[in-house]
Amino acid sequence: MKCHLSKIMGVKRLKIADVARDTGINRGTITRLYNETATRVELEAIDALCTYLDVPIGELFEAGELIK
């Protein structure tokens, strides 16, 4: 699963601290998503990010190849 948070934040000129403050999401969670090192994220956090960034989930995350 690929996360495009860093790209979206770059386009919107947002900082991790601003997103954390404005969404109430833990800064560490946002940092892990930003750096694509997150292994688990709460659905509420994903929903809050999509709402805050005004993007659909498909723009925030991109599914990779499925394991067969």
Side-chain angles (χ1 to χ4, degrees), residues 9-37:
M9 286 176 57
V11 168
K12 294 179 180 274
R13 307 188 93 160
L14 296 168
K15 295 179 182 172
I16 290 173
D18 297 332
V19 176
R21 182 191 62 237
D22 294 345
T23 62
I25 300 170
N26 180 285
R27 184 181 172 128
T29 299
I30 295 169
T31 299
R32 286 187 292 279
L33 286 168
Y34 186 92
N35 293 319
E36 295 190 62
T37 58

Side-chain angles (χ1 to χ4, degrees), residues 2-65:
K2 177 118 175 100
C3 181
H4 297 287
L5 182 61
S6 63
K7 183 175 98 175
I8 295 167
M9 286 176 57
V11 168
K12 294 179 180 274
R13 307 188 93 160
L14 296 168
K15 295 179 182 172
I16 290 173
D18 297 332
V19 176
R21 182 191 62 237
D22 294 345
T23 62
I25 300 170
N26 180 285
R27 184 181 172 128
T29 299
I30 295 169
T31 299
R32 286 187 292 279
L33 286 168
Y34 186 92
N35 293 319
E36 295 190 62
T37 58
T39 56
R40 183 178 75 83
V41 182
E42 297 292 327
L43 292 175
E44 291 83 9
I46 294 170
D47 184 51
L49 278 173
C50 288
T51 300
Y52 177 73
L53 297 169
D54 194 28
V55 297
I57 192 167
E59 193 172 320
L60 183 59
F61 292 102
E62 177 183 330
E65 266 189 55

